[in-house]
Amino acid sequence: MKKELLDVQVVDNQRLHPKYCLLILTSDALLPEMKPGQFVQVKVDGSPSTFLRRPISVSYIDKEHNELWLLVGLAGDGTRRMAEYAKGDRINIIAPLGKGFSLPQTEGEKVLLIGGGVGVAPLLFLGDSLKNAGIEPVFLLGARSEGDLLLLDEFRQRGTVHITTEDGSSGVQGFVTQHPVLINERFDRIYSCGPKPMMIAIAKYADSENINCEVSLENVMACGIGACLCCVEKTDKGNVCVCTEGPVFNIKQLTWLN
């Protein structure tokens, strides 16, 4: 899939939480084709300490309105500057980057999407793609507290949503790995994105149950094209750059199960 350097315009910037914002972007030209699990590199203007582009997961593509949604977690100067963008501001991005999720090839598969924190971002686009393919996804979303749950209405429009919070303020108290849905229902395929310890636990669960599982890694990325070697991960083929060989991997490619 060809990468493009393009200018996009801010349609809306929704502050969902003190630590998260949703950037909705559009382009004068038709946005390039993107797949769930891919990401873009955003050039951050107006932040003197931010020299490199910031990698942000593609959260959703609204083809009808030619819009790209980016769920941004405010972690440093660059992302905090992105939270200040206003309607009409123009941003330069490189898109699409990386390899995305593989969609089921068998009809009737039961699919579970598990996300934690800002890791829910790529699961919205994935869930939408699954639903459009005739597969009703089940979402299992985890957060520290009720206020940290993001885009719930959007997820509920696309499938069944289960929730865990660490403080018990919403859904089941605990971690996603402790939710009863993992015991009471049988799934053919699991997709996950979020904190690495969470994904490792999900990978081990999936392996023990012989469930096909893919995870989207959130390794630190600088260049997005495999040149800087910041995002290296161990796999069955040795060390690879997550930005070019991923960010999505089948768990059997990784060394987590060893």
Side-chain angles (χ1 to χ4, degrees), residues 21-23 25 34 37-44 53-60 68-75 78-80 82 91 93-97 118 121-122 218 221 247:
C21 71
L22 178 66
L23 277 176
L25 311 169
M34 301 185 209
Q38 291 187 302
F39 67 99
V40 304
Q41 287 278 96
V42 180
K43 184 174 183 291
V44 183
R53 292 174 182 263
R54 289 295 178 263
I56 308 291
S57 295
V58 176
S59 188
Y60 180 59
L68 163 64
W69 293 18
L70 302 179
L71 181 60
V72 182
L74 279 58
T79 48
R80 283 195 290 268
M82 290 172 66
I91 306 170
I93 66 172
I94 303 173
L97 294 167
V118 77
E218 296 185 315
M221 299 180 194

Side-chain angles (χ1 to χ4, degrees), residues 5-95:
L5 184 68
L6 65 155
D7 290 321
V8 293
Q9 186 172 0
V10 177
V11 174
D12 195 9
N13 187 352
Q14 302 173 16
R15 195 64 174 265
L16 305 179
H17 180 279
K19 295 182 179 179
Y20 303 103
C21 71
L22 178 66
L23 277 176
I24 301 179
L25 311 169
T26 192
S27 172
D28 296 332
L30 190 67
L31 288 169
E33 188 71 23
M34 301 185 209
K35 294 182 178 180
Q38 291 187 302
F39 67 99
V40 304
Q41 287 278 96
V42 180
K43 184 174 183 291
V44 183
D45 294 319
S47 175
S49 64
T50 307
F51 303 104
L52 301 171
R53 292 174 182 263
R54 289 295 178 263
I56 308 291
S57 295
V58 176
S59 188
Y60 180 59
I61 296 291
D62 184 340
K63 290 188 176 181
E64 180 181 355
H65 298 98
N66 196 40
E67 290 178 349
L68 163 64
W69 293 18
L70 302 179
L71 181 60
V72 182
L74 279 58
D77 291 343
T79 48
R80 283 195 290 268
R81 171 63 186 122
M82 290 172 66
E84 298 173 352
Y85 289 146
K87 182 177 180 179
D89 286 348
R90 300 194 74 84
I91 306 170
N92 185 265
I93 66 172
I94 303 173

